[in-house]
Every structure is written in C-alpha cells, then in structure tokens.
Amino acid sequence: MNLQEAKQFVAHFVNGDYTREEYATFLRWLKGATLEELNDIADEHEAQHERWDVTGLMPSAEWKARLEGKLDDLGVEEAPIPVIGEKWSFRRKTWVAAASVVVVLGAGAIWYTQQGSVKPGFHKLTDFTSAVKTAENPKGGEDKKELLLADGSKVLLNVASTLRYPETFTGSERVVELSGEAYFEVKPNAARPFRVLVKDAEVDVLGTSFNVRAYGDESVCKTTLIDGSVSIESRSDKKKLTPGQQGIITYPSTGDIAIVPRVDIGDVMAWKTGYFVFRNEEFQVVARVLERYYNVEIEYDQNIAVTRVSGSVSRAKDLTANLRQFQGMKVSNHGTKVKVTL
C-alpha cells in the first residue's frame, strides 16, 4: 500500500465500506508511515468528515494519556483535543492531526506508535454494525436467560452475563460480543460464519453448539465444544476444537491456547439447570460463582481462598447450606455480606 491507497482506505473506512484484509494492509502500511504521511492521512480524514461522529469510540483517559506521552516523545506540538458534545472536532494542528489517525485506529482497538509496532487488536461489535442490542442476566438473576437471535440461533445466558448482538445480521459475518458465560446453538450458514468476541479472543463457528465462559473477574476464558466444530483465535494463537474438547486462555496471557482433550460435558453444562459442579477447585473460584448466583459479597481469608474443595452447589438451596458442605466451613450472614471461616 502506498500513500494514495492509504488515503483511499480512510475514505472507505469513514463510510464503513472496507474488508478486514484492507484494514490489516492499512495497519501494516502505518508501521512505517512518517509523521508527514500521518498528516496527509488526517487531511483526507477531515475532507471526508469535518467532524466525524465517534460516539461510543471515545478513548479512555488512560488511553489518551498514552497518546499524549507518545506524541511528546516525538517532539510534536501539544494541543488539547476539543470536545463538542459527544463528537471530536479535529483542528489543523499537527498534534490533533496525528490524534485523528489514532482515533481511526481506535475503532479497531489498535494502539499505534510511530517508532514501535502495530499489534493487531480484536474487533468490537461496533466495527460490524451500528444497531446493537444488549441482553443481560444480572447477578442473582435467572438460572438462564434465553435469547433467539435474528438468524434463528439460540443463546442461553448464565447469571452476571451480558450479550451484545445486532438486531439483524446484515454483513458477511454474524458477530456477537459476550461478557460472562453463555451456551450457543448456532444455525448453520456456511456463507455467513458466526463469531463470538470474548476478552482478547474470538470463537469462530459455522453451525454448532458450544459453551463459552469469559467472566471479567476470572483469570481464564474457557470454550467447550458440545457438537460440531469451532476454532478459537487469540492475539498469537489459533486452535480448532472437536466435540468434548475445551480451549483455555489464561490471563495475563501471551495468547497461548491450551486444549483439554476431554472434559465432562455434564459438569460444564450443569449451570443450565441451576447447578454448578466443582472438582478440586480453589475456594475462591467457588465463592465467585456463589456471589453471582446470590448477588452477595463473600469474605474469607487467604488460607480459605486457596483451599481445594469438591462438590456441587444448587440454587434450590440457600447460600448457607451450599457453603457449609465444603469442609465444615462456618458461615455468618450479614445481609448482602457473608463471612466464611474454618
């Protein structure tokens, strides 16, 4: 890609008319772009939209601080980014012009450094559609919340879980975004693959049933294949699963995906009937599950946190009964706070 082709890509990007391959090519070109070329790209960007509405793509304060620091290192003139309502207005200053390009990249969750490298980031649902709906099963919610997507695919949401999905699937892919745990039964469609975005990974399928567990407060992301075939892709690895296998990404992570060759599907899917099965798990893992089920805060010391326990919990029982089954733990209940001791 040359500078002229990069300008053409930015015009397509603003209109939402681009492919993943074109986007990847643009990122590779940016790796060697000069500051002058960045300004040329920003000129094209401004020509397309003097004020480009980036509602929902505003970077965090930390993200902007990183940008400021990088541009300072480059000796670029500093100027504040003016904000008008929910929109960014880009002025004719070098600092803001460079920031304009970084915001373009921010839509794909990419961090660009002039003297560093371009690291591929995983897409967000907003890259594929603007009409996004959100379904939530909150802490203390239903055993499972059932959703029927526009393509006929079925999703069951566990407690403390959120699914973001388009009202209709209009592109070449069917893409949803999950935080928490869900079971999917995907309608086959070879021409339109189904993708689940979770943390820093993606689960790709054509038509199959599988379970994804990707809670933000857990150090692992687990994908278990029930039937069919899926592949898991992280920032640096990609693995394909066969039925009965489980793919695990552990955080903090280099992106490596570990494969468990055979898991107990009954244990994995017990949550659909209001149960959760533990086999030699640390108590802190059990506590997190119970906190979600009962919408409480469980207090315990470090010795209890790493104690290994086995058993099953049922929402048909009260919280105290579920806790006391584990090695004779003592429970004191204070409303939404529960203290566990040995």
Side-chain angles (χ1 to χ4, degrees), residues 251-326:
Y251 299 93
S253 171
T254 59
D256 292 342
I257 301 170
I259 300 295
V260 180
R262 181 63 55 183
V263 296
D264 189 319
I265 298 298
D267 287 0
V268 173
M269 301 309 305
W271 67 266
K272 288 173 58 181
T273 54
Y275 285 87
F276 211 99
V277 180
F278 302 97
R279 299 188 189 278
N280 196 34
E281 288 277 12
E282 290 186 346
F283 178 76
Q284 58 190 348
V285 175
V286 178
R288 279 196 295 266
V289 172
L290 293 175
E291 285 176 335
R292 297 182 193 120
Y293 275 0
Y294 294 96
N295 195 19
V296 296
E297 180 182 344
I298 302 176
E299 298 179 354
Y300 46 89
D301 63 28
Q302 183 59 29
N303 288 333
I304 295 178
V306 297
T307 298
R308 295 280 177 174
V309 298
S310 297
S312 64
V313 299
S314 168
R315 295 194 73 184
K317 298 179 181 179
D318 63 35
L319 175 60
T320 300
N322 277 319
L323 284 169
R324 284 179 175 163
Q325 70 174 300
F326 299 114

